[in-house]
Amino acid sequence: MAEFKVALIPGDGIGEDVTAWAFDIARTAASRHGAELTGVVFPWSCRFYKETGAMMPPDGIETLRAFDAILLGAVGWPDAVPDAVSLHGLLLPIRKAFVQYANMRPHRLLPGVTGPLRSEGFDILCIRENTEGEYSGAGGRVHQGTAAEVAVETAIFTRAGVERILRFAFDMARTRRGILASVTKSNAQKHSMVFWDDITRIVARDYPDVAVSHYHIDAMAARMVMAPESLDVVVASNLFGDILTDLGAAIQGGLGFAASANINPDRSAPSMFEPVHGSAPDIAHLGIANPIAAIWSAAMMLDHLGQSEAAAAVMAAIEATTARGIGTVPGRDRTETIGQAILDALG
Ligand code: IPM
Ligand code: MN
């Protein structure tokens, strides 16, 4: 029997409400398909920061390295810890340290879910560069607090970083409908974004079977609303991908349905699976968070671990549940009702 060790980091807010459901359902599906998942919970969060002065222990990254995968709920509780501190203390260092350079975010309507658009037949996979670009953390502030203050935040794009995310996206397009949209802003940003476009053209030579188009981020924002069915795989830089995937979440009915996988394609370190929704302090611990985004993310984890049948079983259980109208309307059904219905649907 294949065995996998999963690090569970519920984190903050609704992350604590949904992560156990996601893991339970993944573990149940895995066990029915001949694999055993063992979970170890780490209480790393803003509460942990308040108690210890750090979001995770100094050896936190090394501790996580021993796991096959990480299932994360959400990070952030701005009333207690500034977001820039909590995110740079837990989520962002994990993505970078484990070279999880490909952030995959699927956007499609689940059965029974009504989105805000007229167009319902879209199936988009956003691939977000996840380790560099606008999130590099390079920069600083000088003359702080004076009228002469300067803040600099430098986006860093490396040949290695851009090429690998593009190759990943082309590979993904090959497994789907063979259509890739590369998103930049090369009409305004004449260095990094023209560079990205250049690398896209170079990599495209190795993928004559993939139809690639170039879009500017502003045009892509409009296209995702007006003609989402024309899109298949969309690849973008870290910040652009961040923004487009909240738009993607919106058109798929809301953040409660938006799953994500932070993938280390080389498998040199664990990958991390997390819903896109964040900690949602306004609805935290009320028992009304939709666990579907977290459960879908756990299905992506099973897939990454080579448990494709278990992953498909989880997706089928999610879809059977939403098709019955459970979990389809934000805030209506309880976390427990939705989680239990999906567990039951696993059969
Ligand atoms: C996301 C989130 C994070 C990001 C924040 C919380 C730093 O918005 O995963 O999309 O921007 O990457
Ligand atoms: Mn985001």
Side-chain angles (χ1 to χ4, degrees):
M1 157 124 48
E3 288 176 28
F4 300 98
K5 281 170 63 187
V6 181
L8 303 172
I9 308 177
D12 298 301
I14 64 168
E16 294 181 282
D17 304 340
V18 297
T19 305
W21 280 109
F23 182 65
D24 266 4
I25 288 164
R27 188 167 43 93
T28 305
S31 75
R32 306 234 168 111
H33 290 88
E36 192 186 342
L37 301 188
T38 316
V40 178
V41 179
F42 295 94
W44 305 341
S45 59
C46 290
R47 189 180 303 121
F48 187 86
Y49 181 97
K50 282 294 187 197
E51 285 161 15
T52 69
M55 292 297 293
M56 62 177 157
D59 62 354
I61 291 289
E62 286 326 298
T63 302
L64 293 176
R65 204 181 282 282
F67 287 80
D68 295 300
I70 303 161
L71 196 57
L72 182 131
V75 181
W77 197 261
D79 284 353
V81 183
D83 280 341
V85 172
S86 59
L87 274 318
H88 283 276
L90 188 55
L91 178 69
L92 300 174
I94 295 174
R95 288 179 181 168
K96 286 180 190 170
F98 292 151
V99 207
Q100 295 166 350
Y101 68 80
N103 190 324
M104 299 167 65
R105 298 182 165 183
H107 303 295
R108 61 182 170 85
L109 284 167
L110 291 170
V113 177
T114 310
L117 304 183
R118 279 195 304 264
S119 171
E120 306 238 295
F122 58 88
D123 181 356
I124 301 172
L125 178 64
C126 278
I127 308 283
R128 164 185 177 186
E129 200 294 318
N130 213 32
T131 55
E132 55 172 46
E134 309 86 345
Y135 280 49
S136 297
R141 280 167 72 173
V142 290
H143 309 307
Q144 229 164 312
T146 74
E149 184 161 1
V150 180
V152 179
E153 185 108 28
T154 306
I156 294 178
F157 290 87
T158 66
R159 173 78 192 231
V162 174
E163 189 168 333
R164 69 188 179 186
I165 193 64
L166 286 168
R167 285 195 183 281
F168 185 89
F170 274 99
D171 285 338
M172 278 297 145
R174 242 181 201 167
T175 69
R176 293 169 49 103
R177 281 171 286 138
I179 305 168
L180 178 65
S182 173
V183 181
T184 62
K185 185 61 187 172
S186 49
N187 54 355
Q189 297 190 295
K190 64 181 184 178
H191 306 299
S192 57
M193 297 281 97
V194 173
F195 170 68
W196 179 296
D197 285 353
D198 287 346
I199 309 292
T200 308
R201 281 188 205 94
I202 293 168
V203 173
R205 289 185 208 136
D206 293 339
Y207 297 85
D209 49 324
V210 174
V212 56
S213 307
H214 298 252
Y215 294 89
H216 296 310
I217 176 78
D218 45 354
M220 178 53 77
R223 177 166 286 266
M224 280 180 68
V225 172
M226 303 302 290
E229 69 287 341
S230 68
L231 298 164
D232 180 11
V233 177
V234 174
V235 63
S237 66
N238 212 332
L239 178 63
F240 288 179
D242 175 50
I243 298 166
L244 287 181
T245 54
D246 257 44
L247 179 51
I251 65 171
Q252 74 188 126
L255 282 154
F257 303 107
S260 91
N262 302 271
I263 300 289
N264 170 325
D266 310 323
R267 297 176 184 264
S268 56
S271 294
M272 175 166 66
F273 303 82
E274 50 159 340
V276 178
H277 52 54
S279 63
D282 53 329
I283 58 159
H285 311 136
L286 297 179
I288 55 167
N290 193 333
I292 289 178
I295 297 165
W296 189 341
S297 305
M300 295 175 86
M301 175 180 79
L302 289 170
D303 233 339
H304 182 73
L305 294 173
Q307 305 306 306
S308 52
E309 285 178 13
V314 172
M315 287 313 299
I318 292 174
E319 292 181 358
T321 301
T322 59
R324 288 169 55 213
I326 299 172
T328 52
V329 177
R332 189 192 56 199
D333 300 316
R334 312 230 6 120
T335 310
E336 202 187 334
T337 310
I338 304 167
Q340 192 60 50
I342 295 172
L343 198 54
D344 293 344
L346 275 178

